Amino acid sequence: QYMSGFGNEHISEDPRCPGALPEGQNNPQVCPYGLYAEQLSGSAFTCPRPTNKRSWLYRILPSVCHKPFKPLEEGHLTHDWDEIEPDPNQLRWKPFEIPKASQNKMDFVSGLHTLCGAGEPRGRNGIAVHIFVCNTSMINRSLLCLHFFSIVPQQGKLLITTEFGKMLVEPNEICVIQQGMRFSVEVFGETRGYILEVYGAHFELPDLGPIGANGLANPRDFLVPVAWYEDRQVPGGYTIISKYQGKLFAAQQDYSPYNVVAWHGNYTPYKYHLEKFMVINAVAFDHADPSIFTVLTAKTTRAGVALADFVIFPPRWGVANNTFRPPYYHRNCMSEFMGLIKGHYEAKEEGFQPGGGSLHSMMTPHGPDADCFEKASKAKLEPERVADGTMAFMFESSLSLAVTKWGLQTSNRLDKNYYKCWEPLKSHFNPKCK
């Protein structure tokens, strides 16, 4: 069950404990049912009201009740962007391999692999792109991230338990777990997906400008879980894993952290179905910029410049006259990481596969492969459906992204022949023919 609305003030209490929310105040001397009041602040206390984010949680035990944190083996997570020499080439990865549970049991946390990123988590300015591959559920383990996680499942559904309630997130949906929130992931077989981690900036809906009041991702289509709690003791130890300053730490406690009986506020996890996106497009000639496909943005202090944008390329109509309709050749002052949830991406139907990815770094040229160019240049320009059965997405950033050693070498999924898709392009120049 869910409540709807992006950034709304929500109230929720588990129906097993009616009246668990205090009336008329946040922090009474004694909370109903003997609960503890705990505030989770997603912004500074003094942020202006439109950007002030916080929620009050009413829980069986406060989250402070745990043993000290100790370092935990990080696996393939990193924020060391200098571990390998920079690579300015166009990069593409084949679908990332999911280990078999019979050979190597791997849950969501142990299956996190950092592919690329930039910036510094302590300064709270930067991003990281992770791939997750897993085959088993998190059991008595919870992840606490000090940054913002946008999770994009590609294969297999995720049942995500948070302190605010449960969300079922399937391919073609996304969810956002905000900084400071604890969550666990249950899977139902071999599972794979992508994560955009943002250091220090909230995701927002993009401004609509001349589009007007409606369009793109509509606020009412974002779903927030309802309160759900478990009063469960774990004598053998429940592990809280904290991703703190880019490294992992673990602390033990003897109870489930999902013991929030009621909550209220505007700082929550949420999910969104990409098919709900209201597509805006060119209906006369040429292309509108891909910014018209932005679902969420994490802004910088520079107007119009994003630390990170989450952009999709959904099914739509192509009707532009006298226009080369696929994406144009491009060099960008932004970095573009692309992933494919399903289908065939229109500009590269063969090599770009679901569960893989590509990275075109700052000012790295890219565009349609040779086959796509030749077909589109000769196509009869009639109204046509574009990208039916497909969902590609892009993490775009103003930062220059560095690729990790795992991404370039250890994963063994880098397509070293990617550049060859442009080699058949030939000159059509004829100075005698306009």
Side-chain angles (χ1 to χ4, degrees):
Q1 296 183 353
Y2 304 95
M3 299 173 285
S4 70
F6 187 88
N8 285 5
E9 287 282 342
H10 291 288
I11 61 172
S12 186
E13 57 185 26
D14 191 304
R16 290 172 289 178
C17 294
L21 280 171
E23 292 188 15
Q25 66 178 118
N26 295 321
N27 191 25
Q29 184 179 22
V30 178
C31 292
Y33 296 97
L35 298 171
Y36 288 85
E38 179 178 286
Q39 183 176 209
L40 179 61
S41 294
S43 63
F45 295 145
T46 51
C47 276
R49 187 178 288 268
T51 58
N52 205 301
K53 302 180 186 300
R54 58 84 187 96
S55 287
W56 280 89
L57 313 178
Y58 300 92
R59 55 196 319 152
I60 296 168
L61 278 174
S63 58
V64 72
C65 297
H66 61 77
K67 304 294 185 184
F69 281 100
K70 297 179 181 179
L72 182 68
E73 173 60 40
E74 295 160 23
H76 294 288
L77 278 178
T78 185
H79 66 284
D80 180 2
W81 313 125
D82 296 318
E83 65 177 353
I84 197 167
E85 288 296 312
D87 191 331
N89 291 300
Q90 301 96 345
L91 301 175
R92 182 169 69 189
W93 289 269
K94 301 171 186 177
F96 296 97
E97 294 180 330
I98 310 170
K100 301 290 184 183
S102 59
Q103 300 169 345
N104 182 15
K105 284 193 174 183
M106 188 173 286
D107 69 11
F108 180 83
V109 175
S110 57
L112 289 171
H113 300 73
T114 307
L115 188 67
C116 59
E120 212 288 313
R122 283 172 293 186
R124 301 175 72 185
N125 182 33
I127 71 166
V129 175
H130 310 289
I131 304 297
F132 69 88
V133 290
C134 52
N135 52 40
T136 191
S137 299
M138 294 173 65
I139 299 175
N140 292 338
R141 278 159 56 100
S142 178
L143 179 61
L144 165 63
C145 188
L146 274 296
H147 303 117
F148 299 89
F149 262 28
S150 175
I151 302 174
V152 186
Q154 183 272 321
Q155 177 179 317
K157 57 188 177 182
L158 311 175
L159 180 58
I160 300 179
T161 301
T162 76
E163 295 167 279
F164 293 78
K166 292 174 176 279
M167 297 185 292
L168 183 65
V169 186
E170 303 186 61
N172 231 31
E173 293 183 308
I174 64 168
C175 77
V176 171
I177 307 294
Q178 310 213 56
Q179 67 176 0
M181 296 180 180
R182 298 173 176 183
F183 69 102
S184 299
V185 178
E186 183 178 346
V187 299
F188 306 89
E190 295 179 0
T191 307
R192 175 174 57 202
Y194 312 83
I195 295 174
L196 171 60
E197 181 182 12
V198 176
Y199 306 153
H202 291 267
F203 287 109
E204 305 175 36
L205 295 179
D207 296 326
L208 294 178
I211 292 175
N214 306 290
L216 310 188
N218 290 310
R220 72 170 184 165
D221 293 323
F222 288 82
L223 301 179
V224 174
V226 298
W228 175 88
Y229 77 91
E230 59 178 6
D231 185 10
R232 182 165 66 91
Q233 299 298 307
V234 188
Y238 198 107
T239 303
I240 304 296
I241 301 169
S242 175
K243 189 172 185 294
Y244 179 74
Q245 296 188 7
K247 296 184 177 294
L248 294 184
F249 299 84
Q252 300 299 123
Q253 59 187 50
D254 58 8
Y255 65 96
S256 168
Y258 307 117
N259 63 356
V260 177
V261 178
W263 60 266
H264 77 86
N266 63 353
Y267 189 55
T268 67
Y270 54 86
K271 75 168 192 169
Y272 174 76
H273 201 298
L274 300 180
E275 288 182 0
K276 301 285 188 181
F277 190 81
M278 179 181 164
V279 183
I280 305 293
N281 209 353
V283 295
F285 59 86
D286 283 348
H287 285 262
D289 291 323
S291 50
I292 60 171
F293 301 124
T294 302
V295 179
L296 293 168
T297 184
K299 297 178 180 179
T300 67
T301 54
R302 290 180 290 165
V305 179
L307 184 60
D309 284 332
F310 175 64
V311 180
I312 62 173
F313 300 96
R316 59 199 183 276
W317 281 98
V319 298
N321 291 320
N322 192 31
T323 296
F324 181 81
R325 290 181 178 175
Y328 43 76
Y329 294 101
H330 191 202
R331 288 181 295 164
N332 193 354
C333 66
M334 309 280 276
S335 297
E336 302 177 15
F337 172 84
M338 287 196 63
L340 186 60
I341 298 171
K342 62 178 181 176
H344 300 278
Y345 182 57
E346 57 187 303
K348 298 181 183 67
E349 291 194 6
E350 296 303 321
F352 188 49
Q353 301 173 52
S358 68
L359 176 64
H360 302 121
S361 298
M362 190 175 291
M363 293 304 177
T364 299
H366 55 282
D369 61 25
D371 286 344
C372 178
F373 178 82
E374 294 299 331
K375 286 180 184 178
S377 298
K378 299 169 184 174
K380 187 177 181 181
L381 295 181
E382 298 176 328
E384 62 177 339
R385 288 290 293 171
V386 177
D388 264 349
T390 292
M391 186 62 76
F393 69 88
M394 178 168 66
F395 300 151
E396 186 176 56
S397 175
S398 57
L399 304 178
S400 182
L401 303 184
V403 184
T404 63
K405 185 177 180 180
W406 180 83
L408 288 177
Q409 298 177 4
T410 313
S411 69
N412 199 31
R413 304 309 293 160
L414 188 67
D415 182 355
K416 296 181 180 179
N417 294 319
Y418 182 29
Y419 70 95
K420 293 182 179 179
C421 75
W422 293 291
E423 285 189 337
L425 287 168
K426 57 187 178 182
S427 172
H428 295 280
F429 177 64
N430 184 347
K432 297 180 181 180
C433 179
K434 184 177 180 182

